[in-house]
Amino acid sequence: MSSDDVKGTTRTIGLIGLPVDHTMSPAMHNAAFRALGLDYVYVPFPVDPIDLPNALDGVRALNIRGCNITMPHKSTCIPLLDGLDTLAESLGAVNTVVNNGGELRGYNTDADGFLRSLKMRNISVAQRRVVIIGAGGAARAVAYVLAREGARLTIVNRTATAAREIAAMIEDDFEEKVLAYPLDDTSLQAALLEANVLVNTTSVGMGPGNDASPVPARLLRPDLTVCDVIYNPVQTRLLADAEAAGAVTVSGVDMLVWQGALSFRLWTGEEAPYDLMRDTVLRLLREA
Ligand code: ATR
């Protein structure tokens, strides 16, 4: 979709966040709309927290078909919506809104996007031990869907109390013991000894040229699957070390594209062109 293609019938999808300057979602979705010949356009809206209620009323009043919600509004938008999907409700975080005749319903495709990035590679987590590093919003989403799939979880975080909080949430919802440790070499080594899958959800290693890793390379093994939710760089230092150790690796790019693909289907009812969306994101990352 380019500005030349916008017509009187064109439906709008918005991105509500602050800042939204570096988002790749407009390029990813507009390429997908164009490829499928869908009469939609995706537009970013920088929205200050104080304006969020008015912005969501604007979605209703302007008949905007739906939107993505990003930082810092993922939780604060919830009381302003008319309904929530069960996953978004459990996580207390929304990244996608669908407007059905003025009724705004919130979804969370980040969490299922992560799961799809594993499933597309036939990586199964049921009954397997997964170590999650980090205990922020991304860790919460990842932990929740992994527990739903029957994974056995260990959460390791710099601030141990935050790891224990997520562990308690999962234990409450799934009646399954979750281990929680501080992020230090001894704990990591012990946790990884038992692990099949490792997921980094921290920001360690994020940003072009960033050479930091949350895990010493010597702890990585060929029988581990190593995932990073970071998508820039596409291959973080952690993933490069994991690949060098012979492990299977999963980049955050696939989680990013899958969350987009799942949102796309919610707004349009159409299956998203995954490969095209991924190529678009990779091209933007190369050009950045
Ligand atoms: P998100 O919503 O993207 O998950 P977040 O809620 O800010 O982001 O969480 C960031 C995570 O990265 C946290 O687990 C944080 O650890 P703390 O709970 O101790 O703050 C982790 N993190 C950020 N910088 C880190 C660093 N330099 N070393 C280790 N962990 C780090």
Side-chain angles (χ1 to χ4, degrees):
M1 176 66 73
S2 78
S3 54
D4 289 350
D5 301 321
V6 176
K7 305 190 290 272
T9 51
T10 302
R11 310 195 73 182
T12 306
I13 306 292
L15 168 66
I16 294 180
L18 196 76
V20 290
D21 305 38
H22 300 293
T23 175
M24 286 182 282
S25 294
M28 179 166 78
H29 285 291
N30 287 324
F33 294 146
R34 196 180 316 124
L36 267 57
L38 297 174
D39 191 12
Y40 284 79
V41 64
Y42 188 107
V43 189
F45 296 118
V47 173
D48 198 87
I50 200 165
D51 293 322
L52 186 64
N54 284 338
L56 290 170
D57 274 340
V59 170
R60 295 181 178 96
L62 297 169
N63 281 305
I64 288 173
R65 170 59 183 150
C67 50
N68 277 134
I69 305 277
T70 187
M71 300 303 286
H73 307 310
K74 284 187 172 186
S75 299
T76 50
C77 71
I78 288 178
L80 305 168
L81 302 175
D82 303 303
L84 278 187
D85 172 65
T86 50
L87 180 57
E89 187 169 8
S90 302
L91 291 172
V94 162
N95 80 323
T96 303
V97 168
V98 179
N99 178 8
N100 280 315
E103 294 254 306
L104 303 188
R105 187 170 177 80
Y107 297 84
N108 189 307
T109 67
D110 289 328
D112 279 325
F114 171 73
L115 209 54
R116 291 296 188 104
S117 74
L118 299 186
K119 288 194 170 169
M120 73 187 285
R121 291 179 174 77
N122 296 318
I123 297 164
S124 162
V125 293
Q127 302 306 317
R128 313 201 85 201
R129 174 64 63 180
V130 182
V131 174
I132 298 172
I133 308 178
R140 218 177 156 81
V142 163
Y144 196 90
V145 286
L146 287 173
R148 201 184 60 192
E149 293 295 302
R152 287 144 57 220
L153 299 181
T154 304
I155 302 174
V156 182
N157 193 48
R158 182 176 60 181
T159 310
T161 48
R164 276 196 289 275
E165 270 170 34
I166 296 193
M169 175 195 87
I170 300 291
E171 286 176 345
D172 273 1
D173 280 15
F174 295 94
E175 292 174 9
E176 174 79 37
K177 174 83 186 143
V178 175
L179 305 176
Y181 297 118
L183 178 59
D184 58 52
D185 274 17
T186 317
S187 304
L188 252 185
Q189 184 162 11
L192 286 175
L193 219 52
E194 303 273 293
N196 309 103
V197 180
L198 166 68
V199 187
N200 173 47
T201 70
T202 74
S203 49
V204 179
M206 191 187 296
N210 190 331
D211 202 32
S213 169
V215 182
R218 64 183 164 76
L219 298 184
L220 301 168
R221 310 183 309 264
D223 58 322
L224 269 180
T225 295
V226 180
C227 316
D228 208 324
V229 305
I230 294 171
Y231 59 83
N232 187 10
V234 177
Q235 191 186 53
T236 56
R237 169 73 188 275
L238 170 64
L239 294 189
D241 288 347
E243 196 175 289
V248 171
T249 62
V250 182
S251 168
V253 164
D254 288 308
M255 176 180 178
L256 170 72
V257 178
W258 270 116
Q259 66 74 31
L262 295 171
S263 300
F264 183 97
R265 195 172 62 187
L266 287 169
W267 297 317
T268 67
E270 304 280 341
E271 221 40 65
Y274 182 86
D275 290 340
L276 170 82
M277 290 166 81
R278 190 174 195 276
D279 287 348
T280 306
V281 167
L282 290 177
R283 181 169 45 75
L284 282 181
L285 286 170
R286 270 196 307 272
E287 287 168 1

